[in-house]
Amino acid sequence: MKIDHIAIWCKDIEEMRDFYETYMLGESSELFTGEDTSFQSYILSFPKSDCKLKLMYKQDIDKFHKDKRFGLAHLSFKLDSQNAVDDLTALIGNGGYKVYSTPHVDETGQYSSLVIDVEGNIIQLIANYT
């Protein structure tokens, strides 16, 4: 297992992308827009790093994200398979921790779940969808 990406909810996704490209030498993907067009994201890669930064924006975020907060959205761990996502999600849930979202294919085409760590941080578990 490795850290795949760190995600940030942005008020101004373009300004954030410019900052990380200019000062942190990030290389940005094309803008991804969800089917309903209210969700947008960029994935930035960095020299000498496998970990990516996902910048996200959503219109009416307060209707989507119950905590209504900007900033760090989640820490994402990439696992080897969909079964590994299922198993680890169940293990964490059975350990008494909250499963925020059960395993499913998300809007970006990844198989993922969301769990909550000891201090309330959202952890995304992902595997490629095949």
Side-chain angles (χ1 to χ4, degrees):
M1 177 180 346
K2 68 177 185 172
I3 294 176
D4 183 72
H5 69 269
I6 297 168
I8 299 175
W9 284 112
C10 304
K11 293 179 184 178
D12 186 331
I13 193 170
E14 297 298 332
E15 187 174 11
M16 288 287 280
R17 179 181 61 114
D18 289 345
F19 175 87
Y20 283 98
E21 283 182 323
T22 301
Y23 298 106
M24 306 303 176
L25 307 177
E27 293 183 22
S28 181
S29 67
E30 294 293 319
L31 180 66
F32 171 84
T33 302
E35 287 183 22
D36 69 358
T37 70
S38 68
F39 175 81
Q40 298 177 326
S41 68
Y42 287 110
I43 304 289
L44 284 89
S45 301
F46 299 90
K48 301 180 183 179
S49 176
D50 289 335
C51 188
K52 297 172 189 72
L53 177 64
K54 183 176 187 178
L55 302 177
M56 303 183 307
Y57 171 81
K58 185 161 180 69
Q59 294 171 347
D60 300 323
I61 192 171
D62 57 326
K63 294 176 184 173
F64 172 73
H65 197 286
K66 68 180 181 179
D67 295 331
K68 301 178 191 172
R69 66 180 180 182
F70 291 92
L72 183 65
H74 62 263
L75 177 61
S76 177
F77 286 87
K78 188 167 191 170
L79 286 79
D80 293 332
S81 67
Q82 292 178 35
N83 287 339
V85 171
D86 294 341
D87 293 347
L88 186 53
T89 302
L91 183 66
I92 290 169
N94 291 337
Y97 299 99
K98 183 175 180 180
V99 174
Y100 190 80
S101 173
T102 57
H104 65 284
V105 177
D106 68 20
E107 63 185 2
T108 63
Q110 301 236 34
Y111 189 76
S112 71
S113 68
L114 299 173
V115 298
I116 308 299
D117 75 8
V118 177
E119 294 193 1
N121 296 299
I122 297 173
I123 306 298
Q124 180 184 44
L125 306 175
I126 65 170
N128 289 335
Y129 178 68
T130 54

